[in-house]
Amino acid sequence: VMDSSNYMERMIFGVCCGIYMSNILFLSVGGGGWPGAMAELKEEGHYIVGTDCREEHHGKYLPDEFYQVPRYEAREAYVEAIREVVETEEIDYITGAHTREFIILQEEGFDGVLASDPDTLRATEDKHETYEQFEDISPDFARVETTQELYEAAERLGYPDREICIKPCISSGGRGFRRIVEDYDKTEIVFEHKANPYITLDELAELDFPPLVMMEFLEGDIYHVDILADEGEIIKAVPSVRIEEKWGYGFSLECVDKPEYVEMAERVVEELNLDHNCFIQIK
């Protein structure tokens, strides 16, 4: 059973196999999961530099050197700051970033970015586009942009007899996921939960919501396939099942023997031409 740090170590370790005594830049080191990866790489002799838009957080104290940089949304200032770090620290490889940071840095000509190309990253960010491409292995789904489409899609998917959920087509880190219910105990949610996983159709209809993917809610265990890929080909794949979950993240996982999930991952990696570290979830 692996805790969250070991899980992220497993994701990052393969990327750096064969890289000896390299200067590695970790972006967004304030995010969860990176401590184990950075510690492992430092033990192997790599020099780790970290950046984040926040000055005070746990990630600041983990790399050998830390730089505060602007948020990636301020693209020009962000790129200038990262370029200065790369030149000052003689960085060989860049990892640990938000997807949009990878896109920006590749578009700006940075070398050594350990990520798929920008077109591939944009495709994987759009949940509806991904579901359409792999419709035969995706849950039943529909794209909704208006209140009328919201109610029509819910009826078409079988709600309320069939449980459904929604996600923004493009979002970050599990933000915006909700299970659609007819009613829920708001007192319990407020006083016993850290986040609200529920919403009613009427509550959702009152919001100025972005384009959404509405889909059937899948029961059962959540499986991960952590992957090291090279231009659409899997070099290493590690299937695991979530043992403990918090806030939508797997906090402990157990490796399992699931060759059929690895075969599924091989298809996804090939068709999307994924590169470097990536993972898929299966439920």
Side-chain angles (χ1 to χ4, degrees):
V1 177
M2 298 186 175
D3 65 17
S4 59
S5 296
N6 285 333
Y7 163 60
M8 297 307 295
E9 286 173 18
R10 195 169 73 244
M11 288 180 67
I12 194 67
F13 178 75
V15 171
C16 297
C17 287
I19 302 172
Y20 181 66
M21 293 297 289
S22 297
N23 296 345
I24 303 172
L25 173 59
F26 268 80
L27 305 176
S28 301
V29 290
W34 292 132
M38 285 189 282
E40 182 77 13
L41 291 169
K42 287 173 71 174
E43 287 179 9
E44 294 293 324
H46 305 292
Y47 177 70
I48 307 299
V49 178
T51 65
D52 202 275
C53 61
R54 295 170 293 170
E55 182 180 3
E56 292 298 334
H57 53 75
H58 69 278
K60 173 179 180 179
Y61 305 98
L62 299 173
D64 296 296
E65 189 63 65
F66 172 79
Y67 293 84
Q68 184 181 9
V69 298
R71 299 182 66 87
Y72 69 82
E73 291 90 346
R75 179 164 177 152
E76 185 174 342
Y78 171 78
V79 170
E80 182 179 350
I82 297 298
R83 197 179 303 280
E84 183 175 344
V85 172
V86 168
E87 292 175 354
T88 300
E89 300 289 351
E90 299 181 347
I91 296 298
D92 300 303
Y93 299 95
I94 301 174
T95 189
H98 187 288
T99 299
R100 290 162 209 172
E101 291 180 272
F102 282 143
I103 291 173
I104 289 171
L105 295 181
Q106 290 188 85
E107 288 179 339
E108 295 291 339
F110 282 77
D111 295 324
V113 179
L114 302 179
S116 299
D117 65 72
D119 289 340
T120 296
L121 292 176
R122 289 191 185 92
T124 60
E125 270 200 314
D126 191 322
K127 297 173 180 63
H128 179 258
E129 183 177 330
T130 306
Y131 282 162
E132 280 197 318
Q133 185 164 346
F134 300 98
E135 189 168 5
D136 61 311
I137 55 174
S138 296
D140 288 344
F141 67 94
R143 180 186 174 98
V144 298
E145 296 190 34
T146 67
T147 300
Q148 181 177 346
E149 291 174 348
L150 188 71
Y151 286 101
E152 290 175 349
E155 182 178 1
R156 188 165 66 253
L157 290 171
Y159 181 81
D161 296 329
R162 186 190 205 187
E163 190 169 359
I164 59 174
C165 56
I166 56 101
K167 294 180 181 179
C169 290
I170 298 177
S171 65
S172 174
R175 293 171 178 82
F177 172 81
R178 292 292 186 275
R179 293 169 65 174
I180 305 295
V181 293
E182 294 187 89
D183 195 16
Y184 59 95
D185 188 335
K186 295 180 176 60
T187 301
E188 179 187 350
I189 292 297
V190 170
F191 294 106
E192 297 187 22
H193 293 261
K194 290 189 175 182
N196 177 15
Y198 305 113
I199 195 168
T200 69
L201 275 177
D202 292 339
E203 287 175 334
L204 185 56
E206 293 174 357
L207 302 178
D208 183 18
F209 56 82
L212 302 173
V213 178
M214 179 179 286
M215 72 203 86
E216 62 174 315
F217 179 78
L218 302 176
E219 300 285 355
D221 292 328
I222 298 177
Y223 292 86
H224 294 236
V225 182
D226 296 314
I227 299 160
L228 174 63
D230 181 23
E231 297 182 350
E233 180 182 355
I234 287 182
I235 305 302
K236 184 68 175 178
V238 181
S240 59
V241 63
R242 285 190 184 183
I243 303 300
E244 181 184 6
E245 179 179 329
K246 294 180 182 179
W247 315 302
Y249 296 96
F251 267 64
S252 65
L253 302 100
E254 182 177 9
C255 293
V256 293
D257 182 21
K258 288 286 184 179
E260 67 273 25
Y261 291 170
V262 175
E263 290 180 8
M264 188 182 298
E266 287 175 343
R267 174 188 166 189
V268 173
V269 168
E270 181 180 4
E271 292 191 25
L272 290 175
N273 194 36
L274 295 174
D275 205 8
H276 298 292
N277 277 325
C278 52
F279 82 103
I280 65 172
Q281 288 181 340
I282 301 170
K283 196 172 186 182

